[in-house]
Amino acid sequence: MNVVHWTNNNNESQSKSIRQSSETLPPIKKRISKRLQKHIQDTSFKELYKQQKLAEIVQKAMERIECQYEEYDEIKICGEIIKLNDKVIIKNEDSNVEDYIGAIQKICTIVEPRTLKLICLCEVQWFMRKNEIICHKPRARSWIGNQEIFSTNTNDYVLAQTIVQKCTVVDCEEYFNMENCDSTTYYNRLEWDVECKKFTNMNTIKMYCLCQQPWNPELNYIQCDKCQKWYHFECVGLKGGSYENKEYACGYCN
């Protein structure tokens, strides 16, 4: 018998669609694209910075010869070296909400030509946290652990000074086998589609217990000595987080 404990667009009318031929659409899109580019060029770095349009700052800097734009493999923040692909905790301005987590994809600096202001930015690939998922998938609350995060295909730029520190992201099995985990250690096993608001690889996850839910390494489980299946303590009526007998047989095998 094994016991596991965890301590620590509005639709256009049909007539309008008919009037728009395929020959007229490309020029319209092209003009829109040109207007957007012109808007970025006409907007000052200061204005973009105030609006926190950091991706547009990077685009503007890369298009202007007079701007000093550089990319780096690492950066030092608060005495800690942050490198490409490192996982980091990013400060959330809302003190009532958990900080963000992302993976560093790019590190760059921009010297604004008029004021010589240095802007240091990092492009990050976001992870989603439990509270961001359960608002769309409330039934997942019971099997998502507090330290579980979900990878996405969403990237964004952040100011380097908003990075708090590095963190560790491992897979679920490695997290389960770790003896000591602090609050900066997370585990990831699923990817979240931000636009469709769903998991993209849920079919790869094995289900456990009578409730048929994914494994949560932060909960207590007990294994039946006969069928070798794992169950939540609560689902099989075991309370107190412990089981003193040498052997355990589930309701199906007893």
Side-chain angles (χ1 to χ4, degrees):
M1 181 269 295
N2 293 323
V3 177
V4 175
H5 300 288
W6 184 259
T7 56
N8 299 26
N9 299 336
N10 293 333
N11 293 326
E12 296 179 341
S13 66
Q14 184 176 1
S15 60
K16 185 175 181 181
S17 298
I18 295 174
R19 288 199 301 272
Q20 290 182 330
S21 69
S22 59
E23 296 178 354
T24 61
L25 285 175
I28 292 173
K29 291 182 178 180
K30 188 174 181 181
R31 284 198 296 272
I32 292 173
S33 177
K34 284 184 176 180
R35 282 199 295 269
L36 289 173
Q37 291 176 3
K38 187 175 186 300
H39 170 72
I40 294 175
Q41 292 170 358
D42 292 344
T43 306
S44 68
F45 280 99
K46 182 178 180 180
E47 205 57 39
L48 291 173
Y49 189 89
K50 283 183 178 180
Q51 298 172 21
Q52 289 296 287
K53 295 182 177 181
L54 306 182
E56 293 186 10
I57 290 177
V58 174
Q59 181 181 344
K60 184 182 180 74
M62 295 178 69
E63 292 174 351
R64 294 181 60 173
I65 300 175
E66 67 272 22
C67 287
Q68 296 181 36
Y69 173 85
E70 299 286 346
E71 293 188 9
Y72 302 87
D73 293 329
E74 61 182 43
I75 186 174
K76 192 173 186 178
I77 301 176
C78 298
E80 187 174 32
I81 300 296
I82 307 292
K83 298 182 179 182
L84 295 178
N85 297 317
D86 277 350
K87 312 303 186 295
V88 295
I89 298 174
I90 301 162
K91 181 68 176 178
N92 190 330
E93 293 183 358
D94 187 346
S95 59
N96 296 318
V97 182
E98 294 175 304
D99 290 336
Y100 305 115
I101 301 171
I104 301 294
Q105 304 296 300
K106 181 193 292 185
I107 302 168
C108 63
T109 59
I110 299 163
V111 178
E112 198 278 322
R114 189 172 62 85
T115 63
L116 300 182
K117 177 183 177 65
L118 177 67
I119 305 172
C120 186
L121 301 171
C122 293
E123 183 183 13
V124 299
Q125 185 173 15
W126 293 117
F127 287 95
M128 301 290 283
R129 303 189 74 151
K130 179 177 181 176
N131 289 336
E132 298 172 295
I133 300 296
I134 61 176
C135 60
H136 304 292
K137 300 285 185 181
R139 292 184 179 180
R141 181 188 297 271
S142 60
W143 61 263
I144 298 179
N146 293 325
Q147 293 301 106
E148 183 166 12
I149 57 176
F150 303 87
S151 58
T152 74
N153 286 323
T154 302
N155 287 25
D156 204 356
Y157 283 90
V158 300
L159 296 169
Q161 60 262 36
T162 62
I163 295 176
V164 179
Q165 65 180 106
K166 287 198 291 188
C167 62
T168 302
V169 179
V170 298
D171 61 34
C172 187
E173 183 177 356
E174 185 177 353
Y175 183 84
F176 171 72
N177 291 322
M178 296 177 74
E179 294 185 1
N180 297 309
C181 297
D182 59 23
S183 61
T184 63
T185 301
Y186 304 89
Y187 64 96
N188 166 244
R189 55 180 162 175
L190 287 169
E191 181 178 342
W192 178 257
D193 188 320
V194 175
E195 292 186 1
C196 298
K197 296 178 175 56
K198 66 178 183 179
F199 299 112
T200 62
N201 56 335
M202 193 70 182
N203 60 335
T204 64
I205 301 300
K206 185 177 178 180
M207 301 299 173
Y208 293 87
C209 191
L210 301 172
C211 58
Q212 284 295 284
Q213 292 185 346
W215 182 274
N216 183 343
E218 298 175 29
L219 297 180
N220 294 329
Y221 288 78
I222 189 167
Q223 186 181 37
C224 174
D225 289 294
K226 294 183 179 181
C227 67
Q228 304 300 306
K229 292 182 179 180
W230 290 91
Y231 299 92
H232 296 111
F233 270 46
E234 294 80 3
C235 291
V236 293
L238 297 177
K239 299 180 180 180
S242 64
Y243 185 74
E244 302 300 333
N245 297 342
K246 292 183 178 181
E247 293 187 358
Y248 171 75
C250 68
Y252 293 109
C253 299
N254 193 351

PDB file of all heavy atoms in Angstrom, residues 214-246:
ATOM      1  N   PRO A 214      -7.433  15.039 -13.477  1.00  0.00           N
ATOM      2  CA  PRO A 214      -5.974  14.951 -13.607  1.00  0.00           C
ATOM      3  C   PRO A 214      -5.303  14.944 -12.239  1.00  0.00           C
ATOM      4  O   PRO A 214      -5.849  15.432 -11.254  1.00  0.00           O
ATOM      5  CB  PRO A 214      -5.608  16.221 -14.395  1.00  0.00           C
ATOM      6  CG  PRO A 214      -6.859  16.581 -15.125  1.00  0.00           C
ATOM      7  CD  PRO A 214      -7.976  16.207 -14.210  1.00  0.00           C
ATOM      8  N   TRP A 215      -4.119  14.386 -12.197  1.00  0.00           N
ATOM      9  CA  TRP A 215      -3.333  14.317 -10.970  1.00  0.00           C
ATOM     10  C   TRP A 215      -3.000  15.711 -10.466  1.00  0.00           C
ATOM     11  O   TRP A 215      -2.584  16.583 -11.220  1.00  0.00           O
ATOM     12  CB  TRP A 215      -2.040  13.549 -11.247  1.00  0.00           C
ATOM     13  CG  TRP A 215      -1.144  13.351 -10.066  1.00  0.00           C
ATOM     14  CD1 TRP A 215      -0.189  14.217  -9.606  1.00  0.00           C
ATOM     15  CD2 TRP A 215      -1.089  12.213  -9.204  1.00  0.00           C
ATOM     16  NE1 TRP A 215       0.444  13.699  -8.513  1.00  0.00           N
ATOM     17  CE2 TRP A 215      -0.081  12.459  -8.242  1.00  0.00           C
ATOM     18  CE3 TRP A 215      -1.793  11.008  -9.162  1.00  0.00           C
ATOM     19  CZ2 TRP A 215       0.238  11.541  -7.244  1.00  0.00           C
ATOM     20  CZ3 TRP A 215      -1.467  10.103  -8.166  1.00  0.00           C
ATOM     21  CH2 TRP A 215      -0.459  10.370  -7.224  1.00  0.00           C
ATOM     22  N   ASN A 216      -3.186  15.911  -9.174  1.00  0.00           N
ATOM     23  CA  ASN A 216      -2.794  17.163  -8.531  1.00  0.00           C
ATOM     24  C   ASN A 216      -1.718  16.834  -7.510  1.00  0.00           C
ATOM     25  O   ASN A 216      -2.014  16.285  -6.440  1.00  0.00           O
ATOM     26  CB  ASN A 216      -3.987  17.829  -7.844  1.00  0.00           C
ATOM     27  CG  ASN A 216      -3.627  19.174  -7.224  1.00  0.00           C
ATOM     28  OD1 ASN A 216      -2.456  19.495  -7.024  1.00  0.00           O
ATOM     29  ND2 ASN A 216      -4.631  19.974  -6.918  1.00  0.00           N
ATOM     30  N   PRO A 217      -0.453  17.125  -7.773  1.00  0.00           N
ATOM     31  CA  PRO A 217       0.628  16.747  -6.868  1.00  0.00           C
ATOM     32  C   PRO A 217       0.590  17.449  -5.520  1.00  0.00           C
ATOM     33  O   PRO A 217       1.385  17.130  -4.647  1.00  0.00           O
ATOM     34  CB  PRO A 217       1.888  17.131  -7.664  1.00  0.00           C
ATOM     35  CG  PRO A 217       1.439  18.198  -8.587  1.00  0.00           C
ATOM     36  CD  PRO A 217       0.041  17.851  -8.962  1.00  0.00           C
ATOM     37  N   GLU A 218      -0.336  18.367  -5.345  1.00  0.00           N
ATOM     38  CA  GLU A 218      -0.437  19.083  -4.074  1.00  0.00           C
ATOM     39  C   GLU A 218      -1.495  18.465  -3.152  1.00  0.00           C
ATOM     40  O   GLU A 218      -1.709  18.949  -2.042  1.00  0.00           O
ATOM     41  CB  GLU A 218      -0.737  20.565  -4.327  1.00  0.00           C
ATOM     42  CG  GLU A 218       0.370  21.263  -5.130  1.00  0.00           C
ATOM     43  CD  GLU A 218       0.035  22.692  -5.490  1.00  0.00           C
ATOM     44  OE1 GLU A 218      -0.724  23.325  -4.731  1.00  0.00           O
ATOM     45  OE2 GLU A 218       0.524  23.175  -6.525  1.00  0.00           O
ATOM     46  N   LEU A 219      -2.132  17.379  -3.602  1.00  0.00           N
ATOM     47  CA  LEU A 219      -3.156  16.716  -2.796  1.00  0.00           C
ATOM     48  C   LEU A 219      -2.667  15.355  -2.311  1.00  0.00           C
ATOM     49  O   LEU A 219      -1.662  14.835  -2.784  1.00  0.00           O
ATOM     50  CB  LEU A 219      -4.441  16.537  -3.617  1.00  0.00           C
ATOM     51  CG  LEU A 219      -5.147  17.805  -4.090  1.00  0.00           C
ATOM     52  CD1 LEU A 219      -6.400  17.438  -4.873  1.00  0.00           C
ATOM     53  CD2 LEU A 219      -5.493  18.722  -2.925  1.00  0.00           C
ATOM     54  N   ASN A 220      -3.382  14.769  -1.355  1.00  0.00           N
ATOM     55  CA  ASN A 220      -3.052  13.446  -0.824  1.00  0.00           C
ATOM     56  C   ASN A 220      -3.757  12.356  -1.629  1.00  0.00           C
ATOM     57  O   ASN A 220      -4.953  12.449  -1.909  1.00  0.00           O
ATOM     58  CB  ASN A 220      -3.487  13.339   0.648  1.00  0.00           C
ATOM     59  CG  ASN A 220      -2.688  14.265   1.542  1.00  0.00           C
ATOM     60  OD1 ASN A 220      -1.534  14.542   1.274  1.00  0.00           O
ATOM     61  ND2 ASN A 220      -3.324  14.741   2.606  1.00  0.00           N
ATOM     62  N   TYR A 221      -3.005  11.307  -1.957  1.00  0.00           N
ATOM     63  CA  TYR A 221      -3.549  10.172  -2.705  1.00  0.00           C
ATOM     64  C   TYR A 221      -3.195   8.879  -1.975  1.00  0.00           C
ATOM     65  O   TYR A 221      -2.216   8.813  -1.234  1.00  0.00           O
ATOM     66  CB  TYR A 221      -2.960  10.091  -4.113  1.00  0.00           C
ATOM     67  CG  TYR A 221      -3.438  11.163  -5.072  1.00  0.00           C
ATOM     68  CD1 TYR A 221      -2.924  12.454  -5.015  1.00  0.00           C
ATOM     69  CD2 TYR A 221      -4.379  10.866  -6.051  1.00  0.00           C
ATOM     70  CE1 TYR A 221      -3.355  13.426  -5.910  1.00  0.00           C
ATOM     71  CE2 TYR A 221      -4.811  11.828  -6.953  1.00  0.00           C
ATOM     72  CZ  TYR A 221      -4.300  13.108  -6.877  1.00  0.00           C
ATOM     73  OH  TYR A 221      -4.721  14.073  -7.758  1.00  0.00           O
ATOM     74  N   ILE A 222      -3.999   7.836  -2.220  1.00  0.00           N
ATOM     75  CA  ILE A 222      -3.690   6.511  -1.714  1.00  0.00           C
ATOM     76  C   ILE A 222      -3.879   5.519  -2.855  1.00  0.00           C
ATOM     77  O   ILE A 222      -4.788   5.663  -3.678  1.00  0.00           O
ATOM     78  CB  ILE A 222      -4.582   6.143  -0.507  1.00  0.00           C
ATOM     79  CG1 ILE A 222      -4.088   4.844   0.136  1.00  0.00           C
ATOM     80  CG2 ILE A 222      -6.054   6.044  -0.905  1.00  0.00           C
ATOM     81  CD1 ILE A 222      -4.714   4.579   1.503  1.00  0.00           C
ATOM     82  N   GLN A 223      -2.993   4.506  -2.901  1.00  0.00           N
ATOM     83  CA  GLN A 223      -3.044   3.518  -3.974  1.00  0.00           C
ATOM     84  C   GLN A 223      -3.626   2.207  -3.476  1.00  0.00           C
ATOM     85  O   GLN A 223      -3.228   1.700  -2.424  1.00  0.00           O
ATOM     86  CB  GLN A 223      -1.648   3.285  -4.552  1.00  0.00           C
ATOM     87  CG  GLN A 223      -1.625   2.383  -5.767  1.00  0.00           C
ATOM     88  CD  GLN A 223      -0.222   2.158  -6.296  1.00  0.00           C
ATOM     89  OE1 GLN A 223       0.730   2.043  -5.515  1.00  0.00           O
ATOM     90  NE2 GLN A 223      -0.085   2.098  -7.618  1.00  0.00           N
ATOM     91  N   CYS A 224      -4.568   1.667  -4.246  1.00  0.00           N
ATOM     92  CA  CYS A 224      -5.149   0.367  -3.904  1.00  0.00           C
ATOM     93  C   CYS A 224      -4.113  -0.718  -4.145  1.00  0.00           C
ATOM     94  O   CYS A 224      -3.476  -0.771  -5.202  1.00  0.00           O
ATOM     95  CB  CYS A 224      -6.388   0.105  -4.747  1.00  0.00           C
ATOM     96  SG  CYS A 224      -7.092  -1.548  -4.526  1.00  0.00           S
ATOM     97  N   ASP A 225      -3.896  -1.584  -3.158  1.00  0.00           N
ATOM     98  CA  ASP A 225      -2.895  -2.643  -3.276  1.00  0.00           C
ATOM     99  C   ASP A 225      -3.301  -3.738  -4.258  1.00  0.00           C
ATOM    100  O   ASP A 225      -2.454  -4.519  -4.687  1.00  0.00           O
ATOM    101  CB  ASP A 225      -2.630  -3.257  -1.901  1.00  0.00           C
ATOM    102  CG  ASP A 225      -1.867  -2.301  -1.000  1.00  0.00           C
ATOM    103  OD1 ASP A 225      -0.707  -2.004  -1.325  1.00  0.00           O
ATOM    104  OD2 ASP A 225      -2.436  -1.845   0.001  1.00  0.00           O
ATOM    105  N   LYS A 226      -4.567  -3.797  -4.642  1.00  0.00           N
ATOM    106  CA  LYS A 226      -5.021  -4.844  -5.557  1.00  0.00           C
ATOM    107  C   LYS A 226      -5.070  -4.370  -7.009  1.00  0.00           C
ATOM    108  O   LYS A 226      -4.464  -4.956  -7.892  1.00  0.00           O
ATOM    109  CB  LYS A 226      -6.394  -5.345  -5.108  1.00  0.00           C
ATOM    110  CG  LYS A 226      -6.343  -6.052  -3.752  1.00  0.00           C
ATOM    111  CD  LYS A 226      -7.695  -6.617  -3.359  1.00  0.00           C
ATOM    112  CE  LYS A 226      -7.611  -7.341  -2.017  1.00  0.00           C
ATOM    113  NZ  LYS A 226      -8.929  -7.917  -1.621  1.00  0.00           N
ATOM    114  N   CYS A 227      -5.780  -3.275  -7.280  1.00  0.00           N
ATOM    115  CA  CYS A 227      -5.898  -2.795  -8.660  1.00  0.00           C
ATOM    116  C   CYS A 227      -4.838  -1.760  -9.030  1.00  0.00           C
ATOM    117  O   CYS A 227      -4.705  -1.390 -10.189  1.00  0.00           O
ATOM    118  CB  CYS A 227      -7.284  -2.212  -8.908  1.00  0.00           C
ATOM    119  SG  CYS A 227      -7.632  -0.700  -7.977  1.00  0.00           S
ATOM    120  N   GLN A 228      -4.087  -1.279  -8.037  1.00  0.00           N
ATOM    121  CA  GLN A 228      -2.995  -0.325  -8.225  1.00  0.00           C
ATOM    122  C   GLN A 228      -3.457   1.064  -8.685  1.00  0.00           C
ATOM    123  O   GLN A 228      -2.651   1.863  -9.143  1.00  0.00           O
ATOM    124  CB  GLN A 228      -1.962  -0.869  -9.227  1.00  0.00           C
ATOM    125  CG  GLN A 228      -1.384  -2.234  -8.871  1.00  0.00           C
ATOM    126  CD  GLN A 228      -0.674  -2.218  -7.519  1.00  0.00           C
ATOM    127  OE1 GLN A 228       0.213  -1.404  -7.281  1.00  0.00           O
ATOM    128  NE2 GLN A 228      -1.075  -3.125  -6.641  1.00  0.00           N
ATOM    129  N   LYS A 229      -4.744   1.335  -8.533  1.00  0.00           N
ATOM    130  CA  LYS A 229      -5.252   2.656  -8.926  1.00  0.00           C
ATOM    131  C   LYS A 229      -5.129   3.634  -7.767  1.00  0.00           C
ATOM    132  O   LYS A 229      -5.147   3.240  -6.605  1.00  0.00           O
ATOM    133  CB  LYS A 229      -6.718   2.545  -9.374  1.00  0.00           C
ATOM    134  CG  LYS A 229      -6.902   1.776 -10.664  1.00  0.00           C
ATOM    135  CD  LYS A 229      -8.370   1.746 -11.081  1.00  0.00           C
ATOM    136  CE  LYS A 229      -8.544   0.996 -12.392  1.00  0.00           C
ATOM    137  NZ  LYS A 229      -9.972   0.949 -12.822  1.00  0.00           N
ATOM    138  N   TRP A 230      -4.995   4.922  -8.122  1.00  0.00           N
ATOM    139  CA  TRP A 230      -4.820   5.969  -7.123  1.00  0.00           C
ATOM    140  C   TRP A 230      -6.136   6.704  -6.888  1.00  0.00           C
ATOM    141  O   TRP A 230      -6.898   6.949  -7.815  1.00  0.00           O
ATOM    142  CB  TRP A 230      -3.756   6.971  -7.570  1.00  0.00           C
ATOM    143  CG  TRP A 230      -2.360   6.419  -7.567  1.00  0.00           C
ATOM    144  CD1 TRP A 230      -1.715   5.808  -8.599  1.00  0.00           C
ATOM    145  CD2 TRP A 230      -1.442   6.429  -6.472  1.00  0.00           C
ATOM    146  NE1 TRP A 230      -0.453   5.432  -8.225  1.00  0.00           N
ATOM    147  CE2 TRP A 230      -0.244   5.805  -6.925  1.00  0.00           C
ATOM    148  CE3 TRP A 230      -1.491   6.899  -5.153  1.00  0.00           C
ATOM    149  CZ2 TRP A 230       0.866   5.651  -6.109  1.00  0.00           C
ATOM    150  CZ3 TRP A 230      -0.385   6.741  -4.344  1.00  0.00           C
ATOM    151  CH2 TRP A 230       0.779   6.118  -4.815  1.00  0.00           C
ATOM    152  N   TYR A 231      -6.353   7.078  -5.603  1.00  0.00           N
ATOM    153  CA  TYR A 231      -7.580   7.776  -5.233  1.00  0.00           C
ATOM    154  C   TYR A 231      -7.268   8.940  -4.291  1.00  0.00           C
ATOM    155  O   TYR A 231      -6.352   8.862  -3.476  1.00  0.00           O
ATOM    156  CB  TYR A 231      -8.551   6.806  -4.530  1.00  0.00           C
ATOM    157  CG  TYR A 231      -8.977   5.639  -5.374  1.00  0.00           C
ATOM    158  CD1 TYR A 231      -8.264   4.431  -5.328  1.00  0.00           C
ATOM    159  CD2 TYR A 231     -10.092   5.724  -6.208  1.00  0.00           C
ATOM    160  CE1 TYR A 231      -8.646   3.348  -6.113  1.00  0.00           C
ATOM    161  CE2 TYR A 231     -10.487   4.635  -6.988  1.00  0.00           C
ATOM    162  CZ  TYR A 231      -9.755   3.462  -6.943  1.00  0.00           C
ATOM    163  OH  TYR A 231     -10.134   2.399  -7.715  1.00  0.00           O
ATOM    164  N   HIS A 232      -8.081  10.005  -4.401  1.00  0.00           N
ATOM    165  CA  HIS A 232      -8.002  11.079  -3.410  1.00  0.00           C
ATOM    166  C   HIS A 232      -8.485  10.541  -2.066  1.00  0.00           C
ATOM    167  O   HIS A 232      -9.431   9.746  -2.024  1.00  0.00           O
ATOM    168  CB  HIS A 232      -8.901  12.262  -3.799  1.00  0.00           C
ATOM    169  CG  HIS A 232      -8.501  12.945  -5.065  1.00  0.00           C
ATOM    170  ND1 HIS A 232      -9.257  12.881  -6.213  1.00  0.00           N
ATOM    171  CD2 HIS A 232      -7.421  13.721  -5.358  1.00  0.00           C
ATOM    172  CE1 HIS A 232      -8.683  13.586  -7.170  1.00  0.00           C
ATOM    173  NE2 HIS A 232      -7.568  14.098  -6.679  1.00  0.00           N
ATOM    174  N   PHE A 233      -7.856  10.968  -1.001  1.00  0.00           N
ATOM    175  CA  PHE A 233      -8.320  10.570   0.330  1.00  0.00           C
ATOM    176  C   PHE A 233      -9.800  10.896   0.501  1.00  0.00           C
ATOM    177  O   PHE A 233     -10.591  10.073   0.980  1.00  0.00           O
ATOM    178  CB  PHE A 233      -7.499  11.305   1.401  1.00  0.00           C
ATOM    179  CG  PHE A 233      -6.266  10.553   1.823  1.00  0.00           C
ATOM    180  CD1 PHE A 233      -5.417   9.986   0.888  1.00  0.00           C
ATOM    181  CD2 PHE A 233      -5.960  10.434   3.172  1.00  0.00           C
ATOM    182  CE1 PHE A 233      -4.286   9.297   1.281  1.00  0.00           C
ATOM    183  CE2 PHE A 233      -4.815   9.738   3.582  1.00  0.00           C
ATOM    184  CZ  PHE A 233      -3.980   9.176   2.629  1.00  0.00           C
ATOM    185  N   GLU A 234     -10.184  12.106   0.138  1.00  0.00           N
ATOM    186  CA  GLU A 234     -11.554  12.560   0.363  1.00  0.00           C
ATOM    187  C   GLU A 234     -12.560  11.745  -0.435  1.00  0.00           C
ATOM    188  O   GLU A 234     -13.679  11.475   0.018  1.00  0.00           O
ATOM    189  CB  GLU A 234     -11.685  14.045  -0.020  1.00  0.00           C
ATOM    190  CG  GLU A 234     -10.879  15.007   0.857  1.00  0.00           C
ATOM    191  CD  GLU A 234      -9.404  15.054   0.467  1.00  0.00           C
ATOM    192  OE1 GLU A 234      -9.037  14.385  -0.523  1.00  0.00           O
ATOM    193  OE2 GLU A 234      -8.644  15.760   1.154  1.00  0.00           O
ATOM    194  N   CYS A 235     -12.161  11.330  -1.649  1.00  0.00           N
ATOM    195  CA  CYS A 235     -13.094  10.612  -2.522  1.00  0.00           C
ATOM    196  C   CYS A 235     -13.389   9.191  -2.031  1.00  0.00           C
ATOM    197  O   CYS A 235     -14.411   8.599  -2.386  1.00  0.00           O
ATOM    198  CB  CYS A 235     -12.557  10.563  -3.950  1.00  0.00           C
ATOM    199  SG  CYS A 235     -12.552  12.173  -4.784  1.00  0.00           S
ATOM    200  N   VAL A 236     -12.504   8.617  -1.225  1.00  0.00           N
ATOM    201  CA  VAL A 236     -12.731   7.259  -0.706  1.00  0.00           C
ATOM    202  C   VAL A 236     -13.015   7.273   0.792  1.00  0.00           C
ATOM    203  O   VAL A 236     -12.918   6.244   1.468  1.00  0.00           O
ATOM    204  CB  VAL A 236     -11.527   6.337  -1.020  1.00  0.00           C
ATOM    205  CG1 VAL A 236     -11.422   6.113  -2.524  1.00  0.00           C
ATOM    206  CG2 VAL A 236     -10.226   6.906  -0.463  1.00  0.00           C
ATOM    207  N   GLY A 237     -13.352   8.446   1.317  1.00  0.00           N
ATOM    208  CA  GLY A 237     -13.796   8.548   2.706  1.00  0.00           C
ATOM    209  C   GLY A 237     -12.707   8.536   3.749  1.00  0.00           C
ATOM    210  O   GLY A 237     -12.985   8.319   4.934  1.00  0.00           O
ATOM    211  N   LEU A 238     -11.459   8.744   3.346  1.00  0.00           N
ATOM    212  CA  LEU A 238     -10.366   8.804   4.319  1.00  0.00           C
ATOM    213  C   LEU A 238     -10.158  10.250   4.748  1.00  0.00           C
ATOM    214  O   LEU A 238     -10.029  11.142   3.907  1.00  0.00           O
ATOM    215  CB  LEU A 238      -9.075   8.252   3.712  1.00  0.00           C
ATOM    216  CG  LEU A 238      -9.115   6.774   3.303  1.00  0.00           C
ATOM    217  CD1 LEU A 238      -7.799   6.375   2.651  1.00  0.00           C
ATOM    218  CD2 LEU A 238      -9.398   5.888   4.518  1.00  0.00           C
ATOM    219  N   LYS A 239     -10.131  10.476   6.033  1.00  0.00           N
ATOM    220  CA  LYS A 239      -9.993  11.829   6.551  1.00  0.00           C
ATOM    221  C   LYS A 239      -8.715  11.951   7.372  1.00  0.00           C
ATOM    222  O   LYS A 239      -8.140  10.968   7.804  1.00  0.00           O
ATOM    223  CB  LYS A 239     -11.213  12.205   7.387  1.00  0.00           C
ATOM    224  CG  LYS A 239     -12.519  12.172   6.604  1.00  0.00           C
ATOM    225  CD  LYS A 239     -13.701  12.551   7.487  1.00  0.00           C
ATOM    226  CE  LYS A 239     -14.998  12.512   6.690  1.00  0.00           C
ATOM    227  NZ  LYS A 239     -16.171  12.880   7.525  1.00  0.00           N
ATOM    228  N   GLY A 240      -8.303  13.150   7.585  1.00  0.00           N
ATOM    229  CA  GLY A 240      -7.146  13.418   8.427  1.00  0.00           C
ATOM    230  C   GLY A 240      -5.817  13.342   7.703  1.00  0.00           C
ATOM    231  O   GLY A 240      -4.765  13.578   8.295  1.00  0.00           O
ATOM    232  N   GLY A 241      -5.833  12.997   6.424  1.00  0.00           N
ATOM    233  CA  GLY A 241      -4.591  13.001   5.643  1.00  0.00           C
ATOM    234  C   GLY A 241      -3.649  11.873   5.953  1.00  0.00           C
ATOM    235  O   GLY A 241      -2.453  11.944   5.658  1.00  0.00           O
ATOM    236  N   SER A 242      -4.140  10.778   6.575  1.00  0.00           N
ATOM    237  CA  SER A 242      -3.254   9.651   6.887  1.00  0.00           C
ATOM    238  C   SER A 242      -4.049   8.351   6.858  1.00  0.00           C
ATOM    239  O   SER A 242      -5.276   8.349   6.986  1.00  0.00           O
ATOM    240  CB  SER A 242      -2.601   9.840   8.255  1.00  0.00           C
ATOM    241  OG  SER A 242      -3.581   9.845   9.283  1.00  0.00           O
ATOM    242  N   TYR A 243      -3.311   7.256   6.698  1.00  0.00           N
ATOM    243  CA  TYR A 243      -3.916   5.925   6.700  1.00  0.00           C
ATOM    244  C   TYR A 243      -2.952   4.984   7.406  1.00  0.00           C
ATOM    245  O   TYR A 243      -1.808   4.820   6.992  1.00  0.00           O
ATOM    246  CB  TYR A 243      -4.181   5.458   5.270  1.00  0.00           C
ATOM    247  CG  TYR A 243      -4.920   4.137   5.186  1.00  0.00           C
ATOM    248  CD1 TYR A 243      -6.268   4.056   5.481  1.00  0.00           C
ATOM    249  CD2 TYR A 243      -4.245   2.965   4.802  1.00  0.00           C
ATOM    250  CE1 TYR A 243      -6.958   2.846   5.404  1.00  0.00           C
ATOM    251  CE2 TYR A 243      -4.920   1.756   4.719  1.00  0.00           C
ATOM    252  CZ  TYR A 243      -6.273   1.701   5.027  1.00  0.00           C
ATOM    253  OH  TYR A 243      -6.942   0.512   4.953  1.00  0.00           O
ATOM    254  N   GLU A 244      -3.374   4.381   8.508  1.00  0.00           N
ATOM    255  CA  GLU A 244      -2.486   3.637   9.371  1.00  0.00           C
ATOM    256  C   GLU A 244      -2.349   2.156   9.003  1.00  0.00           C
ATOM    257  O   GLU A 244      -1.367   1.512   9.362  1.00  0.00           O
ATOM    258  CB  GLU A 244      -2.964   3.758  10.836  1.00  0.00           C
ATOM    259  CG  GLU A 244      -3.061   5.190  11.344  1.00  0.00           C
ATOM    260  CD  GLU A 244      -1.727   5.914  11.301  1.00  0.00           C
ATOM    261  OE1 GLU A 244      -0.667   5.240  11.381  1.00  0.00           O
ATOM    262  OE2 GLU A 244      -1.726   7.161  11.175  1.00  0.00           O
ATOM    263  N   ASN A 245      -3.324   1.585   8.326  1.00  0.00           N
ATOM    264  CA  ASN A 245      -3.263   0.165   8.004  1.00  0.00           C
ATOM    265  C   ASN A 245      -2.168  -0.124   6.977  1.00  0.00           C
ATOM    266  O   ASN A 245      -1.769   0.741   6.195  1.00  0.00           O
ATOM    267  CB  ASN A 245      -4.609  -0.321   7.473  1.00  0.00           C
ATOM    268  CG  ASN A 245      -5.711  -0.200   8.515  1.00  0.00           C
ATOM    269  OD1 ASN A 245      -5.431  -0.079   9.699  1.00  0.00           O
ATOM    270  ND2 ASN A 245      -6.955  -0.212   8.073  1.00  0.00           N
ATOM    271  N   LYS A 246      -1.701  -1.371   6.993  1.00  0.00           N
ATOM    272  CA  LYS A 246      -0.615  -1.747   6.085  1.00  0.00           C
ATOM    273  C   LYS A 246      -1.092  -1.860   4.645  1.00  0.00           C
ATOM    274  O   LYS A 246      -0.362  -1.553   3.718  1.00  0.00           O
ATOM    275  CB  LYS A 246       0.004  -3.067   6.530  1.00  0.00           C
ATOM    276  CG  LYS A 246       0.759  -2.970   7.841  1.00  0.00           C
ATOM    277  CD  LYS A 246       1.401  -4.298   8.194  1.00  0.00           C
ATOM    278  CE  LYS A 246       2.188  -4.186   9.490  1.00  0.00           C
ATOM    279  NZ  LYS A 246       2.849  -5.473   9.831  1.00  0.00           N
TER     280      LYS A 246
END
